[in-house]
Structure formats: structure tokens, C-alpha cells
Amino acid sequence: MGIRGLMSFVEDHSNEFFTDLKLRDTKIVIDGYALFHRLCFNSNLELRYGGDYDSFADVAQKFFESLFACNICPYVVLDGGCDISDKKLKTLKDRAREKIQMAHSLSVGGGGYVCPLLIREVFIQVLVKLQVCFVQCFSEADRDIMTLANHWNCPVLSSDSDFCIFDLKTGFCPLNSFQWRNVNTVKGTQDCYIPAKCFSLDALCHHFSNMNKALLPLFAVLCGNDHINLPIIETFLSKVRLPLGATGSKGRRHHRVWGLLNWLSHFADPTEALDNVLEYLPKKDRENVKEILCCSMEEYKQSQVKLQDFFQYGTYACPAALNLDLPEWVLVALAKGQLSPFISDALVLRRTILHTQVENMQQPNAHRVSLPIRQIIYGLLLNASPHLENMSWNALPSQPLAFSEMERINKNIKTSIVNAVELSKDHSDLSKLTELSLAKRQILLLDTLKVKRTILESIPSSLKLPISVSCYWLQHTESKAKLHHLQALLLGMLMGPLHAIITSPDKEDLREDGARMLYEEFQRVKEQTRPGTRLDLDTAHIFCQWQCCLQMGMYLNQLLSTPLPEPDLTRLYSGSLVHGLCQQLLTSTSVESLLSMCPEAKQLYEHLFNATRSYAPAELFLPKGKSNSKKRRQKKHSTSWSKNRVGTTSDTRCLYEGSNRFGLLMVENLEEQIEVSELE
């Protein structure tokens, strides 16, 4: 992120460019993208198994609790979709390739940093739960963050070196020196503070002969940032004689940064410096290069977006978004994080990025399994605005239904063309999508997932969408799920209800004991899976496919204004647990032995298993070594076998009986249940 080499350069001169802070009693504007990456990669979380989302949520919660303890009021600003100009497309492609290489390294036992697929959604759910104020910008957030921080005279927290260029009134605190785990007390008081370091732009300029701050945006674009990558700039750098900095490995590594800053410090203002840069270039290129450089320097100026209005009044006005004449409800939902940047990319650019996971690189990428869901999403976005219809999308054939997807092919990236599904007239106008009845929106969602509403009758509201997605996943031919994969996945879904029961204020000792024992057993399985365990690539790929289905199922559900309740992702899937359960179910453990200690969990599991079982292919239940000619008989046999194995009762009465405390805990919203039942 940001300017190449700048962050490590200023950190190497920490004593000169940074001041120590005892941060408390202040607002702080947080770069949300940088924060959730930092928390994910610097908290000793397991990254190979597709996401221990419960562990990540706990870390994120502790981070904000540290801020609250010091009376620091956080305002989180998240990046939105890609810029409509596509100026960062090359950077995005480079990062996608790097991510594939790191994912491959992790998959074969090496190192690397790859965010789990749903980490952003989990982070947003934590923000909502803790009532942390946040906004999702329409595109990149850096300028909006700078403008808001200057309006409030408060610091910015990020790890992006672009904030060393912005003229921030109260400074920039890098995340790697923000000691939120080390909350201290002011001597002689009960007031708490977080030790931090604050970058001083004045100190940097003073160090380089009191250079004009206005020269720094030109430095950024000459040095190379995410927005500009002009090969001809190398021509300038090869001809200009940059002053030499310190010798040694660090000096050589930072030669360009040091040299450019020294060179620029001799000019009075950007105009003079830019004219001097152009003199080193061929005359035929000068005007074009000047235009590109000036346009890129604009990225460091004040934003027109007033995020303070969003946080105070709930109004988000972004000129770039307003010019597209998108439906008002879409803009509001994007700003509130209720729609993903995936949606705005599809809407504005007709191009989406399918992020690589730690999967089997020898197989087609895991996102292939959710393609039919994405085609419905694209169909809903086709007729959003006449302004968009007049745009000419890059790399797209002249087909009105075409969308492009950046996806992994082997260990590289490729752009594939996908056609949207043409939907009925009811769903063809995005501006009126929210006006459709709950019944129609729910029908479209469940029809896309190929699930009948009747199977959801006995499923708790918080699990209706994950179970529907699991049914879709089981039906898809690319998914090679086996019985133990399904069982492990459903067992993992019990973590949320178990956590609810053991943290409930009105505890009943007998019932709580069983739930606590099972919860602790799951935690043991999870811990045993982590260090040094070899990754089963086929199992990893199967669960990556399931996460892709869940991700797109959630995005479609959000686009349809949640006809099914959004699940709590923080305790829905824990990769270490599910992979560990797979191993145990294959070797020494059965489902009934695991659940014997908690009858309530066993009953819930039966409902989940019965709902998904009817959508599973017959092969899922076939004992190994049986011929295909016996499938029909084996299916009948395996159905009764699986009933006995999980202790399924013939009585499928609703889980929410008054005598069943566990079931009552799962009823999150009685009105939602009534609405759903009325639709049946």
C-alpha cells in the first residue's frame, strides 16, 4: 500500500520523524482496511484453514475495548469499490498475483499472509455489535479519512504510507507502533492511555532543508504509488543525478526515497519542480506525462466528501457516486456497509475480483461453485441507471449482459467473461427492488439456492441462510463433499448457540453444564488442529467452496434487503475446528459420542442434518467400496444408518417448544418467525 519504501524509511528515522504520544480522551479516525489486516496478521491467528472467525472477532473486540478504556472514540472508515477511472487496476492485478503465491505457500506448509474470505464481513459485524461508528466510502477512503481527521483535529490510525504525505493537523499514528495491548495508567490518576508514536510532517520537511510541504505529492508520484506506474519516470530517474544518502544496506534500499526528497527540496514549489522533471523527458511525451502527474497529485488534496455529516446526520454525499445517478437506497446501503464493495464494482465497472483462498491450486478456483449465484446478482444490477448504460466498459465484449471476473487460473490471474441471468420484469428495476414484498424477495433467494422453504421450518432464524447455502453447496457438481465434511460443518455451526447458552445471564446449572462441556470439547479440538498439522488440501478446497457459496449467498441476501436474517459469522465457521472435526470423524469419533453430553445441541444438530440431507447426492451416504449399481438400495440403507448414527427422532416437532431452553435462546426475533411462517 502507499508509496514504495517510504514507510520503512521514516521508521528507520523514528527518532527524527516521530514523537511519543500517550493517547487518550480524543477522537481517532481509523483506516478500517489497514486495521482488520493488522489484527488478522499480527495476532497469531491460524490462516491456513479458511478463517478462525471467532478468534479474530475476539481480537477485534479487545482492540476496541482498549480504546474505550482510554476514552478514545473511534471512527472507522472503510474503503469501498474500485475507482471508476480504474487507475489502480495494475496494482490490483499485482496484488492478486502476490496473494495467489502466498495462498499456495500456506497450502503446502510455508509462510504467507492471506486474509480469510469473510474477514471484512466479520469485522463489520464486530463494529455493529460494539456500536463503533463506521462508514464505507464509495471508493478509496484515504482522502476522506484525511479530510475528516483535519475537520475534527484528531489523529489518523493506519499503516498506509500515503498518510506521511497528507498534511494532517494532528498527525498520523502507524499501527505497528500503536501499543493497544499495553494500556497504561497516568501516574497518580486512574486515567488510562495507549502508548503510540505520531509522525510529524513538519519534522520530515525540516530534515530536508525545510522543504515546501506542497512538494510531497510530487515526491509520492515520482517515487511510485498505487495510482501511478509510468515506465517513463524511470527515464527521468536514470538521467537526474539524485543526491546520495547513507551507505550500507539500509541506505541503498532507501536511495530513491532519500535522493528524491533531497532533490525536490531545492525547488520552491511543485510547478518549478515539475517543469524541471519534464526537461529530462522526450518533448513528445511531456504534455501527456504532465497531465498524468498532475492528476495523480490531486489524490493528496482535500476531499469533497464530508464524512462528519454521515456520522452526525446519517447523510453520505459523494460527488462521484451522485453523478452516476444510482438508486438512493443503494448509496445508503453501501455507506452503511450493508452492501459489499463487490456489489458496487459489479454495478459501476461491471468487473469483480474473486479473492483467492488457501485452496488446492491444482483444482479450478473455489469460486466456480458459486457462479450461478453471482449471475443472479449481476442480473439484478443490469438496469441500475441510464448513466451506467452509456458507459463503455473496458475489456468487455459488446454484450449487454456481460460482466468480467478477475479469478485465479492455476497460479495466475485471468479475466473471464460471465453473462448475467435475465430476470423477470419484477426484478429488472434496481431502484424498485426494495419495494418487492418479503415473499417475492425470499422466493428469488431460495430459488437461486435451489432450496424449498419448507425445509427451513425447524431451523433457527440465525441459521436459515447458512443451511440454505449448505443445501446449494451439496447439490453443486463441483463440490466433492463427503459425509464427514457435512457433519463437521454442521457441528461447527453449534458454536454460536452453545456460546449463547453458556453466556446467558439466567443460567440453569444442569443445561449449562452440558453446553459448557461440549463447547470446551470443541475448543480442545480447535487447539489441537493448529500448530504443525498438515493441511488436507482436498478438504480445504471443499470448505473454501462452501465459503464462496456463503459469501455470494450473503451478498444476494443483502441485495434483496435480507429476506432471511443475516447470520452471525463470528461463531458460524471456525476453520481450525471444522478441519479438526473432519479428522476426528474419520478416525476415532462419531457425532453421537460428541453430542451425548448436550441433548439440546444434539436436537439442534438433528434439525440441521435433516434439512441438508435431502439435498445431498446419494453418493454422500454410500459406504466405501460399494458399486454404483447398488446406489438406490444403499441410499435407503444409509438414510436409516445416518438416522441411527446421529440419533434422529421420528418426532420433528419445532425446536422452539417452551420446554426447550436451548431452542428458545435461538429465537432471535419472534416477528421474523411469524413472517416466515405466514409465507409457507
Side-chain angles (χ1 to χ4, degrees), residues 444-474:
L444 177 58
L445 174 66
L446 295 180
D447 282 354
T448 302
L449 298 177
K450 303 174 185 176
V451 173
K452 294 179 181 177
R453 295 194 304 279
T454 51
I455 69 138
L456 300 177
E457 289 175 352
S458 60
I459 305 300
S461 62
S462 64
L463 294 178
K464 288 184 187 295
L465 184 59
I467 290 300
S468 299
V469 163
S470 300
C471 293
Y472 169 92
W473 167 70
L474 287 169

Side-chain angles (χ1 to χ4, degrees), residues 436-446 452-454 456-457 464 562-565 671-680:
L436 289 178
S437 68
L438 173 63
K440 285 186 177 180
R441 288 181 284 117
Q442 191 180 74
I443 287 168
L444 177 58
L445 174 66
L446 295 180
K452 294 179 181 177
R453 295 194 304 279
T454 51
L456 300 177
E457 289 175 352
K464 288 184 187 295
T562 58
L564 292 182
E671 290 179 358
E672 284 177 351
Q673 297 300 318
I674 293 170
E675 282 181 341
V676 171
S677 65
E678 286 176 349
L679 293 172
E680 308 297 287

Side-chain angles (χ1 to χ4, degrees), residues 14 23 27 71 101 165 177 181 187 225 230 244 250 270 288 290 314 356 402 414 429 483 491 549 567 577 588 603 626:
S14 178
L23 208 63
K27 292 177 179 176
N71 196 31
Q101 295 307 315
I165 305 299
S177 55
R181 290 185 172 95
K187 194 172 182 179
N225 64 11
L230 279 179
L244 292 175
K250 285 186 178 179
N288 184 44
K290 183 178 181 179
T356 301
K414 178 185 176 183
D429 186 347
L483 180 61
L491 287 169
C549 296
L577 171 62
S588 58
Q603 185 183 8
K626 296 293 181 182

Side-chain angles (χ1 to χ4, degrees), residues 460-530:
S461 62
S462 64
L463 294 178
K464 288 184 187 295
L465 184 59
I467 290 300
S468 299
V469 163
S470 300
C471 293
Y472 169 92
W473 167 70
L474 287 169
Q475 294 174 76
H476 205 282
T477 54
E478 275 198 50
S479 173
K480 308 297 183 185
K482 304 290 191 298
L483 180 61
H484 64 282
H485 295 133
L486 174 61
Q487 290 172 326
L489 193 62
L490 299 180
L491 287 169
M493 291 182 191
L494 300 179
M495 284 294 274
L498 288 170
H499 186 263
I501 223 175
I502 63 179
T503 56
S504 174
D506 55 332
K507 296 174 180 176
E508 297 174 19
D509 293 341
L510 208 56
R511 294 182 184 277
E512 184 212 337
D513 285 348
R516 186 176 297 279
M517 286 170 62
L518 182 57
Y519 188 83
E520 290 172 353
E521 176 59 27
F522 283 164
Q523 292 289 3
R524 277 192 291 273
V525 172
K526 180 181 170 184
E527 290 302 317
Q528 289 168 3
T529 310
R530 292 183 63 188

Side-chain angles (χ1 to χ4, degrees), residues 307-317 328 331-332 335-336:
L307 290 183
Q308 63 268 24
D309 288 349
F310 177 82
F311 289 120
Q312 190 170 357
Y313 309 115
T315 56
Y316 177 83
E328 176 67 18
L331 294 177
V332 171
K336 291 182 176 180

Side-chain angles (χ1 to χ4, degrees), residues 420-433:
V421 170
E422 282 194 88
L423 298 169
S424 66
K425 189 176 179 180
D426 273 355
H427 306 108
S428 62
D429 186 347
L430 185 64
S431 64
K432 296 180 179 176
L433 194 57

